[in-house]
Amino acid sequence: MNAAPQVKGWCPGALRPMMSGDGLIVRIRPPMGRLTQRQASGIAALATSCGIGIIDLSNRANVQLRGVAEDRYETLIDGLRALELIDPDVTVESRRNILITPFRTMGDTNEAIAAELAAALAAPDAPDVSAKFGYAIDAGLTPVLQSAPADIRLEPGADGHLLVCAGDHPFGKPVTDGEAVSQMLNLARWSLGRAARMSRLLASGPALPQGFTLPRQGATTAPQPGLYSAGALIGMAFGQIDAATLETVANIGALRVTPWRMLLIEGAGKLPAHPSLITDPFDPLLRVVACVGAPGCARAFAATRPVARALAAYVPSGQTLHISGCAKGCAMPRGASVTLTATPAGFDLIRNATADAAPEHTGLHANDLPNYLQKAL
């Protein structure tokens, strides 16, 4: 018999879900960031039979089932286990926060290193880091995961050397393919007891261990919907997809889940035509990030996504708007061009910072937001 769900205020997992305003949130970490057609179709069916038929894509390339009924939780876990999407236990699940570039080829260096890292993190002596601590495997010619959250990164440096990098620090340590996992784990062990996240640790001032001397490549922008050598990259408003649409996409091919809240359909040679999918790279909804908001989140002070849809047309190309239901800013931990944070008194407007930063304007009514947003952008 499966254990009863542990419902607490943390980032959810599958074995450790979290209660929200619309039911349990169950987060699935797809192995190697990939779902077979059977797995994707199975998730769609389980989302309908055990929840409200809504699936969110997270900025860590995870898949979240929303509105799962507590009395259907064990049935859901049994179904996910049959699909080989459940870790052996909560400890392994919480450690296996691994992003892998969606633009890899099957069996390449990225996959080999990611598989080795996953096995190492499942070992009893793996670093006991925070459940929010994550790794990014980005060993192509050009890194694509720099805008995604990660505490330890593996990516090519400015001179082509493979580097282990600490968060967003501008320098990395050169490693060979064979050294990569051990050096990543060494860096994780160095961080233990200092801070839960690498960004906070680096901000507190300690120098990195020796060897972090080679410059990283300059910041790269997140990919947009379109055709790539690996397949078709498709978006959806706010990274949310319903079960029926997921089933339709799964019928085309296997899926790679991305930290940009998009799906890459492996091997697809054309973009699917579907009203719920975003295939235009210039769609203004791609410039807006919004959490689920009220009533889906009990902590949110406002319904965020209707506001986001209404404001998307005011966001110029190259700018980003973040609508957050509270100061936690779960949907976008990094700063946006403009963030609108809901409060009991209205919306606070923040520029070039996170949802909990000091605002330039406070208590704004929703009707006033277009005017203030245009001035801020």
Side-chain angles (χ1 to χ4, degrees):
M1 181 176 179
N2 293 308
Q6 304 174 49
V7 184
K8 299 184 179 181
W10 47 45
C11 287
L15 297 175
R16 190 167 61 170
M18 183 175 72
M19 181 60 75
S20 192
D22 54 4
L24 291 173
I25 299 174
V26 177
R27 178 177 291 175
I28 304 163
R29 296 183 169 99
M32 307 296 286
R34 181 178 187 267
L35 296 172
T36 66
Q37 290 179 274
R38 172 177 171 268
Q39 288 172 329
S41 181
I43 287 173
L46 289 168
T48 301
S49 63
C50 299
I52 58 175
I54 297 295
I55 301 105
D56 286 334
L57 306 179
S58 81
N59 62 5
R60 289 194 168 206
N62 296 319
V63 176
Q64 294 185 168
L65 276 61
R66 295 202 65 90
V68 174
E70 289 186 77
D71 62 359
R72 299 291 293 166
Y73 171 75
E74 290 193 7
T75 299
L76 171 64
I77 294 302
D78 286 341
L80 292 175
R81 184 171 286 115
L83 292 170
E84 300 180 328
L85 292 172
I86 295 295
D87 288 289
D89 54 52
V90 172
T91 299
V92 174
E93 177 185 72
S94 65
R95 289 175 179 169
R96 192 175 57 82
N97 287 320
I98 304 173
L99 286 174
I100 179 171
T101 172
F103 301 126
R104 65 192 184 275
T105 56
M106 298 295 286
D108 71 0
T109 297
N110 289 284
E111 293 206 341
I113 292 174
E116 183 185 349
L117 178 60
L121 292 175
D125 63 347
D128 192 18
V129 293
S130 160
K132 295 185 177 183
F133 196 95
Y135 306 81
I137 309 298
D138 199 11
L141 292 176
T142 303
V144 296
L145 299 178
Q146 291 182 335
S147 63
D151 297 273
I152 296 177
R153 304 176 186 275
L154 183 71
E155 63 183 40
D159 65 354
H161 277 95
L162 191 61
L163 302 180
V164 167
C165 307
D168 294 330
H169 194 279
F171 293 92
K173 181 176 183 177
V175 295
T176 64
D177 293 359
E179 298 170 335
V181 169
S182 63
Q183 290 298 323
M184 295 175 82
L185 294 179
N186 285 344
L187 185 57
R189 293 188 178 96
W190 172 81
S191 75
L192 288 175
R194 297 168 179 257
R197 301 300 304 277
M198 188 65 72
S199 59
R200 294 179 183 175
L201 173 54
L202 296 178
S204 67
L208 285 169
Q210 291 184 348
F212 287 79
T213 57
L214 293 187
R216 297 172 61 191
Q217 291 193 39
T220 54
T221 57
Q224 297 300 313
L227 295 177
Y228 296 83
S229 60
L233 185 63
I234 56 172
M236 53 284 304
F238 317 120
Q240 190 170 86
I241 187 170
D242 62 73
T245 305
L246 179 59
E247 175 69 31
T248 298
V249 174
N251 287 333
I252 302 173
L255 306 177
R256 298 181 186 180
V257 188
T258 81
W260 316 299
R261 296 186 171 93
M262 300 183 197
L263 294 172
L264 189 142
I265 309 172
E266 285 185 359
K270 65 178 182 178
L271 294 165
H274 192 287
S276 297
L277 300 176
I278 299 175
T279 57
D280 178 2
F282 301 103
D283 191 313
L285 283 174
L286 295 172
R287 304 169 201 156
V288 185
V289 176
C291 64
V292 70
C297 177
R299 299 189 179 189
F301 293 106
T304 55
R305 290 180 177 173
V307 175
R309 286 185 181 277
L311 296 178
Y314 296 96
V315 184
S317 179
Q319 303 291 307
T320 305
L321 171 65
H322 176 199
I323 313 287
S324 183
C326 72
K328 288 179 64 178
C330 298
M332 190 171 184
R334 295 174 180 242
S337 306
V338 171
T339 298
L340 296 171
T341 301
T343 74
F347 286 90
D348 288 354
L349 187 150
I350 302 157
R351 287 208 293 178
N352 299 314
T354 54
D356 60 350
E360 290 189 7
H361 302 283
T362 60
L364 300 178
H365 189 276
N367 292 340
D368 299 324
L369 293 178
N371 182 45
Y372 278 90
L373 181 62
Q374 286 178 291
K375 291 178 180 178
L377 291 173

